[in-house]
Amino acid sequence: MEEDIDTRKINNSFLRDHSYATEGNANPAAFRRWGRVQVAVRCSKNQIHRRGEYNVYSTFQSHEPEFDYLKSLEIEEKINKIRWLPQQNAAYFLLSTNDKTVKLWKVSERDKRPEGYNLKDEEGRLRDPATITTLRVPVLRPMDLMVEATPRRVFANAHTYHINSISVNSDYETYMSADDLRINLWNFEITNQSFNIVDIKPANMEELTEVITAAEFHPHHCNTFVYSSSKGTIRLCDMRASALCDRHTKFFEEPEDPSNRSFFSEIISSISDVKFSHSGRYIMTRDYLTVKVWDLNMENRPIETYQVHDYLRSKLCSLYENDCIFDKFECVWNGSDSVIMTGSYNNFFRMFDRNTKRDVTLEASRENSKPRAILKPRKVCVGGKRRKDEISVDSLDFSKKILHTAWHPSENIIAVAATNNLYIFQDKVN
């Protein structure tokens, strides 16, 4: 599936039943930013002859632009995160958030319509009760299949700063939303009240030294969650210990080598994404140059460190000048937690096999998006003589970047969002 819209930036998230959600927000240089959610579903085998095809299922406007009159601040409609809820019936439920407001959406099908109302005529207008002489029983008539999205809950007015993360709890009754300085816990049934579980805002804002960058619940223990900071640290919290989790249960930090200290050290050590493994035993974090895997039982250093694009270390100055050094890359596990995937520049994305320690660089491009086309590994040449199949580090296009990635929870199907296109790849099919 490829979204051929030149002004798109896409965020994505897989659902376990093979549905797929993408978030679109227009490039501000071209249009005002959108707040749309597009849901695609995988075709059944009798619809297609090859596996892995997705078709657009529903597109709806999730958020509208707003204005905060108290702060004279415009709130954009662009969507920051999407999270699926487990499917309980034929309908799909998902959470979407912009900078300030989280919404719970229901996406469902309707193929019947009611007819034969007593108080309404066929055109839907109210009838005069005095003219009603008989009682009719409404009936359901078949109609063309229609997919509709309806907002079931709106969770607003709880964040002073921009929301960067939402995470559904394993109890499926609560979720949390995190901004730069606070994390709030919500109940899905209560929209007018949330519980503040983390607050790192100092009394004097001049004393602020770090901000929250990402947060996620443990996949199995509903009382445990983790959040990362701009200082490259990770805190594991237990809600059973206290209502306000300002005191962490575990603190994960890798000591910095003084010999590698530079002006950019603090910027590139900021964690942009944190993910629990499906087993719940490990935590994966992504900073600007590396992906690290941490064991919950060892806080002083990661057990695995993978270099994503270490060849950019010599170009940090130019990346700082064009603001690319502040890009926030996501990272994902495969279904068995044995492979890690994350994005890079030039529409490259990287995969690391934790068992064999092998890694590969692949490219998402129009040339590779043809059916049954096999992705060829790419290599970046740092210096010296460049081979035919290599690309020079000076030739990388930093405007083409893969920030968002997703991996199907049970199959080897991946999705990568390359600025204005959404690509879905899968294992080779014989």
Side-chain angles (χ1 to χ4, degrees):
M1 172 183 169
E2 184 177 338
E3 288 298 322
D4 187 11
I5 303 176
D6 293 337
T7 55
R8 268 280 180 92
K9 291 182 180 178
I10 298 175
N11 184 2
N12 48 63
S13 174
F14 262 118
L15 179 66
R16 290 186 177 273
D17 69 345
H18 306 171
S19 296
Y20 190 78
T22 68
E23 167 266 307
N25 57 318
N27 189 322
F31 302 101
R32 287 185 56 82
R33 297 192 176 193
W34 300 349
R36 287 186 178 179
V37 172
Q38 186 177 85
V39 180
V41 294
R42 194 162 160 190
C43 299
S44 60
K45 290 185 178 180
N46 59 356
Q47 290 178 292
I48 56 172
H49 297 290
R50 57 182 183 273
R51 185 166 59 93
E53 291 286 335
Y54 286 79
N55 284 334
V56 175
Y57 181 66
S58 175
T59 301
F60 59 92
Q61 189 75 24
S62 175
H63 288 72
E64 300 283 354
E66 302 176 45
F67 192 81
D68 188 334
Y69 292 96
L70 292 177
K71 299 182 180 179
S72 296
L73 182 68
E74 185 177 354
I75 303 172
E76 293 180 316
E77 64 268 42
K78 75 177 183 67
I79 299 170
N80 296 334
K81 294 290 181 180
I82 292 175
R83 290 292 180 265
W84 286 101
L85 274 68
Q87 191 174 6
Q88 304 294 336
N89 49 39
Y92 304 107
F93 288 88
L94 60 87
L95 286 172
S96 63
T97 182
N98 65 352
D99 289 339
K100 299 291 184 180
T101 304
V102 184
K103 294 184 179 182
L104 174 65
W105 288 89
K106 176 184 178 182
V107 182
S108 57
E109 298 180 356
R110 189 150 61 94
D111 59 359
K112 294 181 176 62
R113 65 171 183 269
E115 290 184 359
Y117 287 106
N118 290 285
L119 299 179
K120 294 180 181 179
D121 60 20
E122 299 303 328
E123 296 180 0
R125 293 174 299 192
L126 289 176
R127 298 171 60 187
D128 184 359
T131 63
I132 301 175
T133 58
T134 59
L135 181 64
R136 294 189 296 178
V137 178
V139 294
L140 293 175
R141 301 291 186 191
M143 59 175 283
D144 293 337
L145 180 65
M146 182 175 67
V147 179
E148 55 185 5
T150 54
R152 302 305 300 269
R153 303 282 189 276
V154 177
F155 306 90
N157 306 319
H159 285 277
T160 305
Y161 307 97
H162 290 178
I163 298 173
N164 55 47
S165 300
I166 51 176
S167 179
V168 179
N169 201 345
S170 59
D171 61 11
Y172 305 133
E173 293 182 1
T174 57
Y175 77 93
M176 68 177 174
S177 56
D179 63 26
D180 293 340
L181 298 180
R182 296 187 179 97
I183 299 177
N184 294 331
L185 180 69
W186 300 83
N187 187 293
F188 280 111
E189 300 299 324
I190 303 172
T191 61
N192 60 354
Q193 185 181 25
S194 64
F195 297 94
N196 181 226
I197 53 177
V198 173
D199 189 346
I200 66 170
K201 182 181 179 181
N204 182 3
M205 285 296 284
E206 293 181 358
E207 300 174 358
L208 182 68
T209 59
E210 63 181 335
V211 295
I212 299 169
T213 56
E216 185 173 71
F217 269 118
H218 192 280
H220 308 301
H221 305 309
C222 61
N223 55 282
T224 306
F225 68 93
V226 67
Y227 69 92
S228 59
S229 81
S230 57
K231 277 192 169 182
T233 60
I234 309 107
R235 292 171 174 86
L236 184 75
C237 300
D238 190 338
M239 291 189 291
R240 296 174 299 184
S242 63
L244 186 63
C245 299
D246 284 346
R247 293 186 179 182
H248 49 266
T249 304
K250 291 190 176 184
F251 182 76
F252 301 86
E253 182 180 26
E254 183 178 23
E256 183 183 13
D257 185 353
S259 62
N260 293 332
R261 181 75 183 175
S262 70
F263 171 78
F264 305 107
S265 295
E266 188 169 330
I267 300 175
I268 63 175
S269 66
S270 176
I271 295 174
S272 58
D273 195 18
V274 59
K275 294 281 175 60
F276 273 106
S277 62
H278 295 89
S279 66
R281 171 69 184 271
Y282 304 102
I283 299 173
M284 174 171 56
T285 59
R286 170 70 203 263
D287 56 41
Y288 189 66
L289 294 177
T290 65
V291 173
K292 297 175 181 178
V293 177
W294 303 76
D295 190 318
L296 290 185
N297 298 324
M298 188 167 70
E299 303 172 48
N300 59 341
R301 61 183 176 87
I303 59 172
E304 300 166 22
T305 300
Y306 302 97
Q307 300 294 333
V308 179
H309 39 216
D310 197 55
Y311 46 79
L312 297 181
R313 197 175 290 273
S314 61
K315 295 188 170 296
L316 293 179
C317 187
S318 59
L319 291 167
Y320 177 80
E321 292 175 353
N322 62 18
D323 286 343
C324 284
I325 200 171
F326 301 105
D327 287 334
K328 300 185 183 302
F329 293 93
E330 294 180 357
C331 53
V332 292
W333 304 86
N334 72 335
S336 61
D337 298 332
S338 61
V339 182
I340 291 168
M341 179 173 65
T342 189
S344 182
Y345 293 104
N346 207 70
N347 281 358
F348 288 168
F349 58 97
R350 303 267 284 144
M351 287 184 176
F352 304 93
D353 191 311
R354 299 179 61 207
N355 297 326
T356 64
K357 304 303 179 184
R358 296 173 60 186
D359 63 271
V360 65
T361 301
L362 302 171
E363 181 182 7
S365 65
R366 291 180 178 272
E367 291 75 20
N368 297 332
S369 63
K370 298 176 182 177
R372 295 184 179 271
I374 298 176
L375 295 183
K376 297 180 179 179
R378 300 300 305 269
K379 291 185 179 180
V380 177
C381 176
V382 179
K385 191 174 181 180
R386 182 173 64 89
R387 295 180 181 179
K388 183 179 180 181
D389 58 341
E390 293 181 339
I391 181 171
S392 170
V393 67
D394 297 318
S395 303
L396 296 176
D397 188 344
F398 293 104
S399 65
K400 296 179 179 179
K401 60 191 78 173
I402 294 179
L403 302 179
H404 307 290
T405 56
W407 201 310
H408 195 284
S410 59
E411 298 184 39
N412 276 334
I413 302 176
I414 63 171
V416 295
T419 308
N420 62 331
N421 292 294
L422 173 64
Y423 298 93
I424 296 181
F425 303 106
Q426 65 181 63
D427 263 350
K428 183 180 178 181
V429 180
N430 295 326

